């Protein structure tokens, strides 16, 4: 049985299963190489390295900055409690504002990551995924 849509996963959804659903479907075309070779080939490709590089160029600095900000907050709260207790407006003190800023920076970082992924990586990753599915289908493997 051959599916034209590489995203159609009949066996995972339960549709199209026959009585001998546990039996392996023999490869009908393509090279006689295991499907795992497709993924190794894609992993070695320049397109894959570019997607991973774009991911790392954003994530590594973002994680470092966010971790430094979090550690600075915790260290300041423990080492300088008098500074964190300094009133800002009414019952609101510097520690409360810094704590709320932790939440704000989490949301900002999430937004920045999603935007970066959408603008810099999603299209290339989707093309890579389609290429992987096509290679797997050509070689008779299920991806």
């Amino acid at each position: 049985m051959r599916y034209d849509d590489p995203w159609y996963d009949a066996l995972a959804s339960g549709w199209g299963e026959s009585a001998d659903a546990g039996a392996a479907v023999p490869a009908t075309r393509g090279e006689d190489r295991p499907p795992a070779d497709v993924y190794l080939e894609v992993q070695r490709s320049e397109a894959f390295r570019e997607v991973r590089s774009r991911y790392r160029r954003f994530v590594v600095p973002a994680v470092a900055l966010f971790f430094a900000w979090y550690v600075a907050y915790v260290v300041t709260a423990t080492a300088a409690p008098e500074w964190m207790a300094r009133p800002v407006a009414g019952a609101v003190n510097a520690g409360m504002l810094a704590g709320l800023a932790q939440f704000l920076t989490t949301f900002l970082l999430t937004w920045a990551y999603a935007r970066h992924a959408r603008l810099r990586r999603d299209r290339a990753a989707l093309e890579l995924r389609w290429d992987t599915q096509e290679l797997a289908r050509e070689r008779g493997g299920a991806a």
Side-chain angles (χ1 to χ4, degrees), residues 34-55:
D37 287 349
V38 170
Y39 297 102
L40 292 174
E41 181 179 329
V42 169
Q43 186 179 11
R44 292 180 188 118
S45 72
E46 184 60 36
F48 182 82
R49 279 185 264 151
E50 180 62 27
V51 169
R52 294 297 296 170
S53 174
R54 289 178 183 179
Y55 171 78

Side-chain angles (χ1 to χ4, degrees), residues 22-23 29 31 40-41 48 53 61 77 84 104 121 130 142:
R29 60 191 166 110
E31 300 172 16
L40 292 174
E41 181 179 329
F48 182 82
S53 174
M84 295 292 256
L104 178 64
R121 291 192 329 267
W130 278 106

